[in-house]
Amino acid sequence: MKLTIIAGGNRKESTSTKLLRYMEKALREKEIEVTFIDLHRHALPLYSSDAAEPSEQIDLLVQAVADADGVILGTPEYHGSFSGTLKNALDYLGAAQFEGKPVLVASSAAGAVGVSSLTQLQTVVRNLHGINCTEWVSIGGDARTFGEDGEPASDKVKQRVLYALEHLTRLVRQLRLAD
């Protein structure tokens, strides 16, 4: 099983990216192949349908999603929505990359939870012809604390992440069997 994780945070110490790094670690421990794209470090030019410039960064993003059996999208919540950085990356992608693939969405918000950003991301996933996972992960407030080892400080957050990942990987396996 191959999963691609796209971290839509645009800060060096982004808690949404830390959350996704923890997901990556948990998946690798289950011997699942993971491609991790950190949009803070993997900066993309602003999308324009007029641009014809080839870009190694764009090609890597498109190929990583195309090759994946499933995708995890993560974002901070800004003003009740997902990050512009993630939106820009998604603009480079389409149904050719997402068609029929399970997608788990995750967010980190300064407030209690980032549900607005996740609802909007799920709308985008549907429009890309992806399949929204039955679960999502949203952390906020004090739940955004991570230890030196990169793990969430809260056992409840760890449990929530593992529960959501189990739903995603089960859905990927079910869809692969159906093919």
Side-chain angles (χ1 to χ4, degrees):
M1 178 183 308
K2 291 169 136 177
L3 298 177
T4 294
I5 299 174
I6 302 174
N10 200 22
R11 292 184 313 116
K12 192 160 98 174
E13 293 297 317
S14 168
T15 56
S16 63
T17 301
K18 289 179 181 183
L19 174 64
L20 295 173
R21 285 291 184 191
Y22 175 67
M23 289 180 172
E24 175 190 28
K25 178 182 173 190
L27 291 165
R28 288 188 190 278
E29 286 173 357
K30 293 182 179 215
E31 298 184 3
I32 294 172
E33 185 179 335
V34 179
T35 299
F36 195 99
I37 298 177
D38 180 348
L39 295 174
H40 174 68
R41 292 192 170 90
H42 184 91
L44 300 172
L46 189 58
Y47 176 80
S48 169
S49 59
D50 294 335
E53 291 281 322
S55 164
E56 187 176 318
Q57 298 292 74
I58 296 165
D59 293 345
L60 179 86
L61 170 72
V62 170
Q63 197 61 53
V65 176
D67 291 345
D69 298 309
V71 179
I72 299 173
L73 302 174
T75 184
E77 183 159 304
Y78 294 137
H79 309 297
S81 188
F82 59 97
S83 73
T85 303
L86 182 56
K87 174 65 170 102
N88 186 56
L90 292 171
D91 285 344
Y92 282 103
L93 301 166
Q97 292 79 39
F98 276 93
E99 179 90 35
K101 292 182 185 176
V103 180
L104 173 67
V105 294
S107 72
S108 176
V113 289
V115 174
S116 294
S117 58
L118 297 180
T119 301
Q120 292 171 29
L121 263 177
Q122 286 190 326
T123 299
V124 173
V125 168
R126 274 193 304 281
N127 281 280
L128 291 170
H129 300 233
I131 299 170
N132 282 302
C133 184
T134 54
E135 295 295 327
W136 62 24
V137 177
S138 178
I139 62 172
D142 293 340
R144 298 178 309 141
T145 304
F146 292 81
E148 292 290 322
D149 59 359
E151 293 200 7
S154 165
D155 285 338
K156 286 184 178 182
V157 171
K158 290 178 188 178
Q159 290 169 359
R160 179 72 188 130
V161 166
L162 296 176
Y163 182 76
L165 290 176
E166 179 57 36
H167 277 259
L168 174 65
T169 55
R170 184 180 327 124
L171 183 57
V172 169
R173 284 191 301 273
Q174 289 170 338
L175 290 171
R176 286 172 64 192
L177 286 174
D179 283 343

